[in-house]
Amino acid sequence: MAALAWLWLFLFLVTPCHAFESHEDSLFFPPEIQHSWAAYTPYFPVEPYPSPPSHCTITQVDILQRHGARFPTSGATTQIKAALEKLQSATIFLDPKLSFLRNYTYALGTNDLIPFGAMQSNTAGKEAFRRYSALISGDALPFVRASSSSRVVDSANNWTAGLSMASNHRFNPVLSVVLQENLNDTLDDSMCPNAGSSDAQTSIWTSIYGPPIAARLNAQAPSANLTAPDISNLIPQCAFDTLFKEAPSPFCDLFTREEFAQFEYFGDLDKFYGTGSGQPLGRVQGVGYVNELLARLTATA
């Protein structure tokens, strides 16, 4: 499970979010498929943004935002490539949807932000200015900080660039603080060495949903010898390949809507038992950030 790292954008009512962006512009597949990519699904709003009630005045906005879309982590890359090598070793492809694999070469990078991810954060900065420009002045620019991963730092800089562009470069905030992830970083989820993992729960679900999919693909690609864990590494390639190319990936055609939904549940289990409420020490990992947020809101920092 990859560690989560974040950037905190303090403009001056709390607005936690992933990113502000045009949902329609980033829809490559029907929602029932694209919204089932678990952690790799591009941000989409649950509902339209409502303006504050007329009797309310926004005086402060705190935005907790994850980095934009990225390449697979180094660990995920190893697992994806291993599963792909099995699939490509098949003696014959009996389903035409697999035929692209004959000439497919894996060419994704690792860890870093991709252009689509850079656009997400840039768009988020623009939208933040449109919503909250009344809070910004030359003497009151947003305070921006980020974890030290390159993709997080790049996302923060893309956010500030987007806000600057939306203001016609009148306001030019900068990334003020970079928190080293090997130190006491309240924007990273790996600060609690005793926290467990979601391996037990995800392994059980993999043993349930993975075998039928592996059996189907093995029948369509004789001698591939895919196993259940390979499925949880192949399905993400649909998302990674699509978002990198910004075009529908042929990997997505290898799975049904029901199978994507099953993978989404795999992702839900991973986060719920890894860092969420299902993890006994999950909340401990967020205490530092929550204390900082409370200090901001109560002006006791």
PDB file of all heavy atoms in Angstrom, residues 44-82:
ATOM      1  N   PHE A  44     -13.861  13.558  -8.811  1.00  0.00           N
ATOM      2  CA  PHE A  44     -15.150  13.988  -9.339  1.00  0.00           C
ATOM      3  C   PHE A  44     -16.005  14.450  -8.168  1.00  0.00           C
ATOM      4  O   PHE A  44     -15.932  13.883  -7.070  1.00  0.00           O
ATOM      5  CB  PHE A  44     -15.843  12.862 -10.114  1.00  0.00           C
ATOM      6  CG  PHE A  44     -16.218  11.668  -9.283  1.00  0.00           C
ATOM      7  CD1 PHE A  44     -17.480  11.561  -8.708  1.00  0.00           C
ATOM      8  CD2 PHE A  44     -15.310  10.637  -9.061  1.00  0.00           C
ATOM      9  CE1 PHE A  44     -17.834  10.454  -7.948  1.00  0.00           C
ATOM     10  CE2 PHE A  44     -15.654   9.521  -8.309  1.00  0.00           C
ATOM     11  CZ  PHE A  44     -16.919   9.440  -7.737  1.00  0.00           C
ATOM     12  N   PRO A  45     -16.791  15.498  -8.333  1.00  0.00           N
ATOM     13  CA  PRO A  45     -17.617  16.005  -7.223  1.00  0.00           C
ATOM     14  C   PRO A  45     -18.808  15.094  -6.978  1.00  0.00           C
ATOM     15  O   PRO A  45     -19.433  14.600  -7.913  1.00  0.00           O
ATOM     16  CB  PRO A  45     -18.056  17.385  -7.716  1.00  0.00           C
ATOM     17  CG  PRO A  45     -18.058  17.256  -9.207  1.00  0.00           C
ATOM     18  CD  PRO A  45     -16.928  16.318  -9.549  1.00  0.00           C
ATOM     19  N   VAL A  46     -19.106  14.878  -5.727  1.00  0.00           N
ATOM     20  CA  VAL A  46     -20.284  14.093  -5.378  1.00  0.00           C
ATOM     21  C   VAL A  46     -21.551  14.847  -5.761  1.00  0.00           C
ATOM     22  O   VAL A  46     -22.541  14.262  -6.188  1.00  0.00           O
ATOM     23  CB  VAL A  46     -20.285  13.765  -3.872  1.00  0.00           C
ATOM     24  CG1 VAL A  46     -21.570  13.047  -3.476  1.00  0.00           C
ATOM     25  CG2 VAL A  46     -19.074  12.914  -3.525  1.00  0.00           C
ATOM     26  N   GLU A  47     -21.493  16.159  -5.632  1.00  0.00           N
ATOM     27  CA  GLU A  47     -22.617  17.008  -6.020  1.00  0.00           C
ATOM     28  C   GLU A  47     -22.072  18.385  -6.349  1.00  0.00           C
ATOM     29  O   GLU A  47     -20.917  18.705  -6.019  1.00  0.00           O
ATOM     30  CB  GLU A  47     -23.643  17.104  -4.892  1.00  0.00           C
ATOM     31  CG  GLU A  47     -23.097  17.644  -3.593  1.00  0.00           C
ATOM     32  CD  GLU A  47     -24.119  17.620  -2.466  1.00  0.00           C
ATOM     33  OE1 GLU A  47     -25.085  16.862  -2.548  1.00  0.00           O
ATOM     34  OE2 GLU A  47     -23.926  18.384  -1.500  1.00  0.00           O
ATOM     35  N   PRO A  48     -22.826  19.237  -7.035  1.00  0.00           N
ATOM     36  CA  PRO A  48     -22.341  20.581  -7.374  1.00  0.00           C
ATOM     37  C   PRO A  48     -21.982  21.376  -6.118  1.00  0.00           C
ATOM     38  O   PRO A  48     -22.585  21.197  -5.053  1.00  0.00           O
ATOM     39  CB  PRO A  48     -23.535  21.211  -8.111  1.00  0.00           C
ATOM     40  CG  PRO A  48     -24.318  20.057  -8.625  1.00  0.00           C
ATOM     41  CD  PRO A  48     -24.169  18.965  -7.602  1.00  0.00           C
ATOM     42  N   TYR A  49     -20.989  22.235  -6.261  1.00  0.00           N
ATOM     43  CA  TYR A  49     -20.551  23.069  -5.144  1.00  0.00           C
ATOM     44  C   TYR A  49     -21.638  24.077  -4.791  1.00  0.00           C
ATOM     45  O   TYR A  49     -22.051  24.872  -5.643  1.00  0.00           O
ATOM     46  CB  TYR A  49     -19.274  23.801  -5.521  1.00  0.00           C
ATOM     47  CG  TYR A  49     -18.823  24.811  -4.492  1.00  0.00           C
ATOM     48  CD1 TYR A  49     -18.273  24.402  -3.286  1.00  0.00           C
ATOM     49  CD2 TYR A  49     -18.956  26.179  -4.731  1.00  0.00           C
ATOM     50  CE1 TYR A  49     -17.850  25.318  -2.342  1.00  0.00           C
ATOM     51  CE2 TYR A  49     -18.545  27.114  -3.790  1.00  0.00           C
ATOM     52  CZ  TYR A  49     -17.994  26.674  -2.596  1.00  0.00           C
ATOM     53  OH  TYR A  49     -17.589  27.594  -1.656  1.00  0.00           O
ATOM     54  N   PRO A  50     -22.111  24.075  -3.553  1.00  0.00           N
ATOM     55  CA  PRO A  50     -23.140  25.052  -3.156  1.00  0.00           C
ATOM     56  C   PRO A  50     -22.501  26.316  -2.597  1.00  0.00           C
ATOM     57  O   PRO A  50     -21.508  26.254  -1.868  1.00  0.00           O
ATOM     58  CB  PRO A  50     -23.907  24.311  -2.064  1.00  0.00           C
ATOM     59  CG  PRO A  50     -22.871  23.445  -1.418  1.00  0.00           C
ATOM     60  CD  PRO A  50     -21.894  23.067  -2.503  1.00  0.00           C
ATOM     61  N   SER A  51     -23.043  27.451  -2.930  1.00  0.00           N
ATOM     62  CA  SER A  51     -22.564  28.703  -2.337  1.00  0.00           C
ATOM     63  C   SER A  51     -22.957  28.724  -0.860  1.00  0.00           C
ATOM     64  O   SER A  51     -23.952  28.113  -0.460  1.00  0.00           O
ATOM     65  CB  SER A  51     -23.179  29.901  -3.052  1.00  0.00           C
ATOM     66  OG  SER A  51     -22.790  29.919  -4.404  1.00  0.00           O
ATOM     67  N   PRO A  52     -22.180  29.418  -0.033  1.00  0.00           N
ATOM     68  CA  PRO A  52     -22.529  29.494   1.388  1.00  0.00           C
ATOM     69  C   PRO A  52     -23.881  30.170   1.575  1.00  0.00           C
ATOM     70  O   PRO A  52     -24.309  30.981   0.749  1.00  0.00           O
ATOM     71  CB  PRO A  52     -21.401  30.357   1.979  1.00  0.00           C
ATOM     72  CG  PRO A  52     -20.288  30.268   0.989  1.00  0.00           C
ATOM     73  CD  PRO A  52     -20.932  30.118  -0.346  1.00  0.00           C
ATOM     74  N   PRO A  53     -24.595  29.858   2.645  1.00  0.00           N
ATOM     75  CA  PRO A  53     -25.863  30.535   2.933  1.00  0.00           C
ATOM     76  C   PRO A  53     -25.671  32.046   3.014  1.00  0.00           C
ATOM     77  O   PRO A  53     -24.590  32.530   3.366  1.00  0.00           O
ATOM     78  CB  PRO A  53     -26.271  29.953   4.294  1.00  0.00           C
ATOM     79  CG  PRO A  53     -25.553  28.648   4.376  1.00  0.00           C
ATOM     80  CD  PRO A  53     -24.258  28.838   3.653  1.00  0.00           C
ATOM     81  N   SER A  54     -26.694  32.776   2.679  1.00  0.00           N
ATOM     82  CA  SER A  54     -26.589  34.237   2.606  1.00  0.00           C
ATOM     83  C   SER A  54     -26.190  34.873   3.936  1.00  0.00           C
ATOM     84  O   SER A  54     -25.596  35.949   3.971  1.00  0.00           O
ATOM     85  CB  SER A  54     -27.914  34.830   2.122  1.00  0.00           C
ATOM     86  OG  SER A  54     -28.973  34.456   2.999  1.00  0.00           O
ATOM     87  N   HIS A  55     -26.516  34.215   5.052  1.00  0.00           N
ATOM     88  CA  HIS A  55     -26.199  34.799   6.352  1.00  0.00           C
ATOM     89  C   HIS A  55     -24.796  34.422   6.834  1.00  0.00           C
ATOM     90  O   HIS A  55     -24.418  34.766   7.946  1.00  0.00           O
ATOM     91  CB  HIS A  55     -27.223  34.344   7.403  1.00  0.00           C
ATOM     92  CG  HIS A  55     -27.248  32.855   7.602  1.00  0.00           C
ATOM     93  ND1 HIS A  55     -27.945  32.017   6.766  1.00  0.00           N
ATOM     94  CD2 HIS A  55     -26.659  32.060   8.528  1.00  0.00           C
ATOM     95  CE1 HIS A  55     -27.793  30.764   7.185  1.00  0.00           C
ATOM     96  NE2 HIS A  55     -27.011  30.770   8.249  1.00  0.00           N
ATOM     97  N   CYS A  56     -24.044  33.693   6.007  1.00  0.00           N
ATOM     98  CA  CYS A  56     -22.682  33.278   6.389  1.00  0.00           C
ATOM     99  C   CYS A  56     -21.640  34.072   5.611  1.00  0.00           C
ATOM    100  O   CYS A  56     -21.840  34.408   4.440  1.00  0.00           O
ATOM    101  CB  CYS A  56     -22.489  31.792   6.119  1.00  0.00           C
ATOM    102  SG  CYS A  56     -23.461  30.710   7.167  1.00  0.00           S
ATOM    103  N   THR A  57     -20.536  34.325   6.259  1.00  0.00           N
ATOM    104  CA  THR A  57     -19.398  34.986   5.627  1.00  0.00           C
ATOM    105  C   THR A  57     -18.169  34.102   5.799  1.00  0.00           C
ATOM    106  O   THR A  57     -17.825  33.715   6.922  1.00  0.00           O
ATOM    107  CB  THR A  57     -19.118  36.360   6.266  1.00  0.00           C
ATOM    108  OG1 THR A  57     -20.278  37.185   6.117  1.00  0.00           O
ATOM    109  CG2 THR A  57     -17.916  37.029   5.608  1.00  0.00           C
ATOM    110  N   ILE A  58     -17.513  33.784   4.712  1.00  0.00           N
ATOM    111  CA  ILE A  58     -16.302  32.976   4.785  1.00  0.00           C
ATOM    112  C   ILE A  58     -15.139  33.876   5.187  1.00  0.00           C
ATOM    113  O   ILE A  58     -14.865  34.889   4.537  1.00  0.00           O
ATOM    114  CB  ILE A  58     -16.008  32.302   3.434  1.00  0.00           C
ATOM    115  CG1 ILE A  58     -17.113  31.309   3.088  1.00  0.00           C
ATOM    116  CG2 ILE A  58     -14.664  31.584   3.471  1.00  0.00           C
ATOM    117  CD1 ILE A  58     -16.938  30.621   1.760  1.00  0.00           C
ATOM    118  N   THR A  59     -14.465  33.488   6.245  1.00  0.00           N
ATOM    119  CA  THR A  59     -13.308  34.267   6.706  1.00  0.00           C
ATOM    120  C   THR A  59     -12.011  33.486   6.596  1.00  0.00           C
ATOM    121  O   THR A  59     -10.932  34.057   6.679  1.00  0.00           O
ATOM    122  CB  THR A  59     -13.499  34.698   8.172  1.00  0.00           C
ATOM    123  OG1 THR A  59     -13.660  33.533   8.986  1.00  0.00           O
ATOM    124  CG2 THR A  59     -14.727  35.602   8.306  1.00  0.00           C
ATOM    125  N   GLN A  60     -12.116  32.177   6.417  1.00  0.00           N
ATOM    126  CA  GLN A  60     -10.915  31.347   6.346  1.00  0.00           C
ATOM    127  C   GLN A  60     -11.225  30.093   5.545  1.00  0.00           C
ATOM    128  O   GLN A  60     -12.325  29.539   5.645  1.00  0.00           O
ATOM    129  CB  GLN A  60     -10.459  30.960   7.758  1.00  0.00           C
ATOM    130  CG  GLN A  60      -9.216  30.078   7.776  1.00  0.00           C
ATOM    131  CD  GLN A  60      -8.805  29.680   9.177  1.00  0.00           C
ATOM    132  OE1 GLN A  60      -8.515  28.523   9.447  1.00  0.00           O
ATOM    133  NE2 GLN A  60      -8.789  30.649  10.082  1.00  0.00           N
ATOM    134  N   VAL A  61     -10.276  29.656   4.754  1.00  0.00           N
ATOM    135  CA  VAL A  61     -10.425  28.426   3.981  1.00  0.00           C
ATOM    136  C   VAL A  61      -9.166  27.588   4.157  1.00  0.00           C
ATOM    137  O   VAL A  61      -8.059  28.087   3.953  1.00  0.00           O
ATOM    138  CB  VAL A  61     -10.644  28.725   2.477  1.00  0.00           C
ATOM    139  CG1 VAL A  61     -10.699  27.421   1.678  1.00  0.00           C
ATOM    140  CG2 VAL A  61     -11.921  29.517   2.271  1.00  0.00           C
ATOM    141  N   ASP A  62      -9.339  26.338   4.546  1.00  0.00           N
ATOM    142  CA  ASP A  62      -8.233  25.384   4.627  1.00  0.00           C
ATOM    143  C   ASP A  62      -8.519  24.250   3.660  1.00  0.00           C
ATOM    144  O   ASP A  62      -9.573  23.612   3.741  1.00  0.00           O
ATOM    145  CB  ASP A  62      -8.108  24.830   6.047  1.00  0.00           C
ATOM    146  CG  ASP A  62      -7.619  25.881   7.027  1.00  0.00           C
ATOM    147  OD1 ASP A  62      -8.473  26.648   7.533  1.00  0.00           O
ATOM    148  OD2 ASP A  62      -6.411  25.935   7.266  1.00  0.00           O
ATOM    149  N   ILE A  63      -7.602  24.004   2.763  1.00  0.00           N
ATOM    150  CA  ILE A  63      -7.793  22.969   1.745  1.00  0.00           C
ATOM    151  C   ILE A  63      -6.742  21.882   1.942  1.00  0.00           C
ATOM    152  O   ILE A  63      -5.545  22.156   1.889  1.00  0.00           O
ATOM    153  CB  ILE A  63      -7.668  23.559   0.326  1.00  0.00           C
ATOM    154  CG1 ILE A  63      -8.713  24.660   0.099  1.00  0.00           C
ATOM    155  CG2 ILE A  63      -7.826  22.449  -0.716  1.00  0.00           C
ATOM    156  CD1 ILE A  63      -8.545  25.381  -1.231  1.00  0.00           C
ATOM    157  N   LEU A  64      -7.192  20.658   2.171  1.00  0.00           N
ATOM    158  CA  LEU A  64      -6.294  19.502   2.230  1.00  0.00           C
ATOM    159  C   LEU A  64      -6.460  18.748   0.924  1.00  0.00           C
ATOM    160  O   LEU A  64      -7.526  18.221   0.634  1.00  0.00           O
ATOM    161  CB  LEU A  64      -6.658  18.607   3.416  1.00  0.00           C
ATOM    162  CG  LEU A  64      -5.801  17.347   3.589  1.00  0.00           C
ATOM    163  CD1 LEU A  64      -4.347  17.704   3.849  1.00  0.00           C
ATOM    164  CD2 LEU A  64      -6.350  16.486   4.718  1.00  0.00           C
ATOM    165  N   GLN A  65      -5.405  18.700   0.145  1.00  0.00           N
ATOM    166  CA  GLN A  65      -5.522  18.194  -1.221  1.00  0.00           C
ATOM    167  C   GLN A  65      -4.418  17.205  -1.505  1.00  0.00           C
ATOM    168  O   GLN A  65      -3.255  17.449  -1.180  1.00  0.00           O
ATOM    169  CB  GLN A  65      -5.449  19.366  -2.204  1.00  0.00           C
ATOM    170  CG  GLN A  65      -5.557  18.971  -3.670  1.00  0.00           C
ATOM    171  CD  GLN A  65      -5.624  20.195  -4.560  1.00  0.00           C
ATOM    172  OE1 GLN A  65      -6.397  21.117  -4.313  1.00  0.00           O
ATOM    173  NE2 GLN A  65      -4.815  20.212  -5.595  1.00  0.00           N
ATOM    174  N   ARG A  66      -4.781  16.087  -2.116  1.00  0.00           N
ATOM    175  CA  ARG A  66      -3.767  15.119  -2.497  1.00  0.00           C
ATOM    176  C   ARG A  66      -3.113  15.544  -3.807  1.00  0.00           C
ATOM    177  O   ARG A  66      -3.636  16.391  -4.538  1.00  0.00           O
ATOM    178  CB  ARG A  66      -4.396  13.725  -2.641  1.00  0.00           C
ATOM    179  CG  ARG A  66      -3.350  12.613  -2.558  1.00  0.00           C
ATOM    180  CD  ARG A  66      -3.944  11.231  -2.652  1.00  0.00           C
ATOM    181  NE  ARG A  66      -2.882  10.228  -2.597  1.00  0.00           N
ATOM    182  CZ  ARG A  66      -3.033   8.978  -2.959  1.00  0.00           C
ATOM    183  NH1 ARG A  66      -4.191   8.562  -3.401  1.00  0.00           N
ATOM    184  NH2 ARG A  66      -2.031   8.122  -2.878  1.00  0.00           N
ATOM    185  N   HIS A  67      -1.950  14.959  -4.098  1.00  0.00           N
ATOM    186  CA  HIS A  67      -1.274  15.247  -5.366  1.00  0.00           C
ATOM    187  C   HIS A  67      -2.153  14.825  -6.534  1.00  0.00           C
ATOM    188  O   HIS A  67      -3.090  14.040  -6.382  1.00  0.00           O
ATOM    189  CB  HIS A  67       0.066  14.532  -5.418  1.00  0.00           C
ATOM    190  CG  HIS A  67      -0.042  13.040  -5.215  1.00  0.00           C
ATOM    191  ND1 HIS A  67      -0.521  12.185  -6.184  1.00  0.00           N
ATOM    192  CD2 HIS A  67       0.241  12.272  -4.147  1.00  0.00           C
ATOM    193  CE1 HIS A  67      -0.514  10.952  -5.725  1.00  0.00           C
ATOM    194  NE2 HIS A  67      -0.063  10.969  -4.489  1.00  0.00           N
ATOM    195  N   GLY A  68      -1.819  15.310  -7.714  1.00  0.00           N
ATOM    196  CA  GLY A  68      -2.553  14.936  -8.907  1.00  0.00           C
ATOM    197  C   GLY A  68      -2.187  13.532  -9.370  1.00  0.00           C
ATOM    198  O   GLY A  68      -1.370  12.835  -8.749  1.00  0.00           O
ATOM    199  N   ALA A  69      -2.791  13.103 -10.470  1.00  0.00           N
ATOM    200  CA  ALA A  69      -2.569  11.754 -10.993  1.00  0.00           C
ATOM    201  C   ALA A  69      -1.084  11.525 -11.272  1.00  0.00           C
ATOM    202  O   ALA A  69      -0.367  12.422 -11.709  1.00  0.00           O
ATOM    203  CB  ALA A  69      -3.391  11.558 -12.268  1.00  0.00           C
ATOM    204  N   ARG A  70      -0.650  10.309 -11.034  1.00  0.00           N
ATOM    205  CA  ARG A  70       0.777   9.983 -11.108  1.00  0.00           C
ATOM    206  C   ARG A  70       0.997   8.652 -11.815  1.00  0.00           C
ATOM    207  O   ARG A  70       0.064   7.914 -12.112  1.00  0.00           O
ATOM    208  CB  ARG A  70       1.358   9.891  -9.699  1.00  0.00           C
ATOM    209  CG  ARG A  70       0.620   8.860  -8.825  1.00  0.00           C
ATOM    210  CD  ARG A  70       1.407   8.501  -7.594  1.00  0.00           C
ATOM    211  NE  ARG A  70       0.667   7.654  -6.674  1.00  0.00           N
ATOM    212  CZ  ARG A  70       0.499   6.342  -6.796  1.00  0.00           C
ATOM    213  NH1 ARG A  70       1.004   5.724  -7.857  1.00  0.00           N
ATOM    214  NH2 ARG A  70      -0.173   5.644  -5.882  1.00  0.00           N
ATOM    215  N   PHE A  71       2.279   8.359 -12.064  1.00  0.00           N
ATOM    216  CA  PHE A  71       2.672   7.030 -12.501  1.00  0.00           C
ATOM    217  C   PHE A  71       2.534   6.061 -11.320  1.00  0.00           C
ATOM    218  O   PHE A  71       2.461   6.495 -10.160  1.00  0.00           O
ATOM    219  CB  PHE A  71       4.126   7.027 -12.969  1.00  0.00           C
ATOM    220  CG  PHE A  71       4.375   7.686 -14.299  1.00  0.00           C
ATOM    221  CD1 PHE A  71       5.259   8.750 -14.406  1.00  0.00           C
ATOM    222  CD2 PHE A  71       3.754   7.212 -15.453  1.00  0.00           C
ATOM    223  CE1 PHE A  71       5.506   9.334 -15.636  1.00  0.00           C
ATOM    224  CE2 PHE A  71       4.003   7.801 -16.688  1.00  0.00           C
ATOM    225  CZ  PHE A  71       4.878   8.862 -16.782  1.00  0.00           C
ATOM    226  N   PRO A  72       2.550   4.761 -11.576  1.00  0.00           N
ATOM    227  CA  PRO A  72       2.544   3.807 -10.463  1.00  0.00           C
ATOM    228  C   PRO A  72       3.788   3.996  -9.590  1.00  0.00           C
ATOM    229  O   PRO A  72       4.829   4.477 -10.066  1.00  0.00           O
ATOM    230  CB  PRO A  72       2.581   2.442 -11.156  1.00  0.00           C
ATOM    231  CG  PRO A  72       2.135   2.695 -12.560  1.00  0.00           C
ATOM    232  CD  PRO A  72       2.562   4.084 -12.889  1.00  0.00           C
ATOM    233  N   THR A  73       3.678   3.642  -8.321  1.00  0.00           N
ATOM    234  CA  THR A  73       4.855   3.641  -7.458  1.00  0.00           C
ATOM    235  C   THR A  73       5.815   2.548  -7.940  1.00  0.00           C
ATOM    236  O   THR A  73       5.462   1.685  -8.742  1.00  0.00           O
ATOM    237  CB  THR A  73       4.472   3.364  -6.002  1.00  0.00           C
ATOM    238  OG1 THR A  73       3.849   2.063  -5.930  1.00  0.00           O
ATOM    239  CG2 THR A  73       3.506   4.431  -5.484  1.00  0.00           C
ATOM    240  N   SER A  74       7.021   2.560  -7.411  1.00  0.00           N
ATOM    241  CA  SER A  74       8.009   1.567  -7.839  1.00  0.00           C
ATOM    242  C   SER A  74       7.546   0.155  -7.489  1.00  0.00           C
ATOM    243  O   SER A  74       7.714  -0.790  -8.280  1.00  0.00           O
ATOM    244  CB  SER A  74       9.365   1.858  -7.197  1.00  0.00           C
ATOM    245  OG  SER A  74       9.252   1.914  -5.789  1.00  0.00           O
ATOM    246  N   GLY A  75       6.942  -0.004  -6.295  1.00  0.00           N
ATOM    247  CA  GLY A  75       6.445  -1.322  -5.913  1.00  0.00           C
ATOM    248  C   GLY A  75       5.321  -1.792  -6.810  1.00  0.00           C
ATOM    249  O   GLY A  75       5.287  -2.964  -7.236  1.00  0.00           O
ATOM    250  N   ALA A  76       4.379  -0.893  -7.101  1.00  0.00           N
ATOM    251  CA  ALA A  76       3.262  -1.241  -7.977  1.00  0.00           C
ATOM    252  C   ALA A  76       3.760  -1.543  -9.389  1.00  0.00           C
ATOM    253  O   ALA A  76       3.228  -2.446 -10.062  1.00  0.00           O
ATOM    254  CB  ALA A  76       2.241  -0.113  -8.006  1.00  0.00           C
ATOM    255  N   THR A  77       4.772  -0.816  -9.845  1.00  0.00           N
ATOM    256  CA  THR A  77       5.325  -1.055 -11.178  1.00  0.00           C
ATOM    257  C   THR A  77       5.849  -2.478 -11.304  1.00  0.00           C
ATOM    258  O   THR A  77       5.592  -3.166 -12.298  1.00  0.00           O
ATOM    259  CB  THR A  77       6.456  -0.052 -11.469  1.00  0.00           C
ATOM    260  OG1 THR A  77       5.917   1.270 -11.519  1.00  0.00           O
ATOM    261  CG2 THR A  77       7.130  -0.361 -12.796  1.00  0.00           C
ATOM    262  N   THR A  78       6.566  -2.936 -10.296  1.00  0.00           N
ATOM    263  CA  THR A  78       7.099  -4.293 -10.318  1.00  0.00           C
ATOM    264  C   THR A  78       5.986  -5.323 -10.424  1.00  0.00           C
ATOM    265  O   THR A  78       6.071  -6.292 -11.198  1.00  0.00           O
ATOM    266  CB  THR A  78       7.928  -4.558  -9.049  1.00  0.00           C
ATOM    267  OG1 THR A  78       9.037  -3.634  -9.005  1.00  0.00           O
ATOM    268  CG2 THR A  78       8.459  -5.981  -9.018  1.00  0.00           C
ATOM    269  N   GLN A  79       4.920  -5.121  -9.666  1.00  0.00           N
ATOM    270  CA  GLN A  79       3.807  -6.069  -9.666  1.00  0.00           C
ATOM    271  C   GLN A  79       3.021  -6.021 -10.975  1.00  0.00           C
ATOM    272  O   GLN A  79       2.610  -7.065 -11.503  1.00  0.00           O
ATOM    273  CB  GLN A  79       2.889  -5.768  -8.485  1.00  0.00           C
ATOM    274  CG  GLN A  79       3.563  -6.002  -7.134  1.00  0.00           C
ATOM    275  CD  GLN A  79       2.735  -5.506  -5.972  1.00  0.00           C
ATOM    276  OE1 GLN A  79       1.993  -4.529  -6.080  1.00  0.00           O
ATOM    277  NE2 GLN A  79       2.848  -6.170  -4.841  1.00  0.00           N
ATOM    278  N   ILE A  80       2.810  -4.820 -11.511  1.00  0.00           N
ATOM    279  CA  ILE A  80       2.096  -4.693 -12.780  1.00  0.00           C
ATOM    280  C   ILE A  80       2.869  -5.372 -13.911  1.00  0.00           C
ATOM    281  O   ILE A  80       2.316  -6.139 -14.705  1.00  0.00           O
ATOM    282  CB  ILE A  80       1.846  -3.210 -13.113  1.00  0.00           C
ATOM    283  CG1 ILE A  80       0.825  -2.601 -12.142  1.00  0.00           C
ATOM    284  CG2 ILE A  80       1.361  -3.050 -14.558  1.00  0.00           C
ATOM    285  CD1 ILE A  80       0.689  -1.100 -12.258  1.00  0.00           C
ATOM    286  N   LYS A  81       4.181  -5.112 -13.967  1.00  0.00           N
ATOM    287  CA  LYS A  81       5.002  -5.676 -15.036  1.00  0.00           C
ATOM    288  C   LYS A  81       5.062  -7.204 -14.942  1.00  0.00           C
ATOM    289  O   LYS A  81       5.058  -7.902 -15.962  1.00  0.00           O
ATOM    290  CB  LYS A  81       6.403  -5.068 -14.998  1.00  0.00           C
ATOM    291  CG  LYS A  81       6.413  -3.584 -15.384  1.00  0.00           C
ATOM    292  CD  LYS A  81       7.788  -2.971 -15.239  1.00  0.00           C
ATOM    293  CE  LYS A  81       8.731  -3.438 -16.311  1.00  0.00           C
ATOM    294  NZ  LYS A  81      10.023  -2.685 -16.264  1.00  0.00           N
ATOM    295  N   ALA A  82       5.095  -7.723 -13.724  1.00  0.00           N
ATOM    296  CA  ALA A  82       5.126  -9.179 -13.557  1.00  0.00           C
ATOM    297  C   ALA A  82       3.836  -9.812 -14.077  1.00  0.00           C
ATOM    298  O   ALA A  82       3.862 -10.856 -14.755  1.00  0.00           O
ATOM    299  CB  ALA A  82       5.336  -9.527 -12.089  1.00  0.00           C
TER     300      ALA A  82
END
